[in-house]
Amino acid sequence: MKKASLLAASSVAALGIGLLAGPVVASEPSRTTYHADLEPVNHSGGSGTFMLSVRGRTATVTERVSGLASTFDGQPYPHVQHIHVDAAHQCPSPAADTSGDGVISTTEGHPFYGDIGTTLATSGDTSPAAATTLTTAPSGSSFVYRRTFTLDDRTLASLGNGTAVIVVHGLDPSTLPAAAQHEPSDLVPSLPLAATSPALCGPVTGSHGGHHGARR
Ligand SMILES: [Cu+2]
C-alpha cells in the first residue's frame, strides 16, 4: 500500500509541474517577413522582387527575376545569387568601379553589400562554399526561385540587424566595354569578368515590428 501511494503522489506532482509550465505551443517562434526590390547594376537590364519568410532558422524564399542575360556558350545563362551580409546595406553606384574598366566587379561592390552569407542555390549547399557553383544557380533571362532551407548564424544575424543585401550575378559580356569583355572574373579567374559581376541588387528590408532592416 505504501508503494502505491508514493506513485500516486508523484503522479500528482508531475501533473502540477505540467500545469505550471503552461501551454507548450506558445514557445513556437514567430514568423518574420522580409523583401527586396532588385534593381540593375552595371550593364544589366532587368529587375526582380525577393520575398523571404523566416520562422526560427527556417527560411522560405520566393523570388522573381526578369530581363537578365539569357544564354552563355549556348546554354541557359547561370546567375549565381547570394544574400550578402555585414556591410553598408547598400548597392554599389557607378563610382564603385575603382579600376575604371567600366564594370563594378563583385570585389569592388564589397564595401557596399559585404561578404556572401548565403548562396541562393537551386539545390544542395546554401553556404558561401557554393557561391560560384554554376550548376546549382538559377538560369536564363527570367526565373522564379522558390526554396526553403536552414539559415546559418551569420545570415540570420544580418537579417536581424538590417545589413542583408540580395545580389544576382551574371552580365551579358557583349554589353561590357570592349576591354572589360576580355578580363577574367575576380572570383573565378577561369570565367570572364561578366559571368560573376553583379547584375541585380537590392537591400533587404523587414516588415515584422518595423525594426528589422529599416531603410537608410
Ligand atoms: Cu553575390
Side-chain angles (χ1 to χ4, degrees), residues 197-216:
S197 293
L200 297 177
C201 176
V204 177
T205 58
S207 57
H208 180 76
H211 60 281
H212 289 285
R215 284 188 189 277
R216 298 176 186 183

Side-chain angles (χ1 to χ4, degrees), residues 82 84 116 167 169:
H82 317 107
H84 286 251
I116 293 164
V167 181
H169 302 255

Side-chain angles (χ1 to χ4, degrees), residues 7-24:
L7 283 171
S10 60
S11 295
V12 170
L15 183 63
I17 289 164
L19 289 170
L20 285 172
V24 174

Side-chain angles (χ1 to χ4, degrees), residues 114-192:
D115 295 342
I116 293 164
T118 292
T119 299
L120 296 166
T122 54
S123 65
D125 190 6
T126 57
S127 81
T132 57
T133 304
L134 301 184
T135 51
T136 56
S139 60
S141 63
S142 300
F143 57 82
V144 178
Y145 174 83
R146 287 194 183 89
R147 190 164 177 200
T148 297
F149 56 93
T150 302
L151 287 169
D152 68 9
D153 289 341
R154 193 178 185 198
T155 305
L156 196 58
S158 177
L159 288 165
N161 68 27
T163 60
V165 179
I166 306 305
V167 181
V168 182
H169 302 255
L171 302 170
D172 179 349
S174 70
T175 64
L176 271 56
Q181 291 184 20
H182 303 290
E183 284 183 68
S185 161
D186 50 322
L187 299 186
V188 185
S190 61
L191 295 173

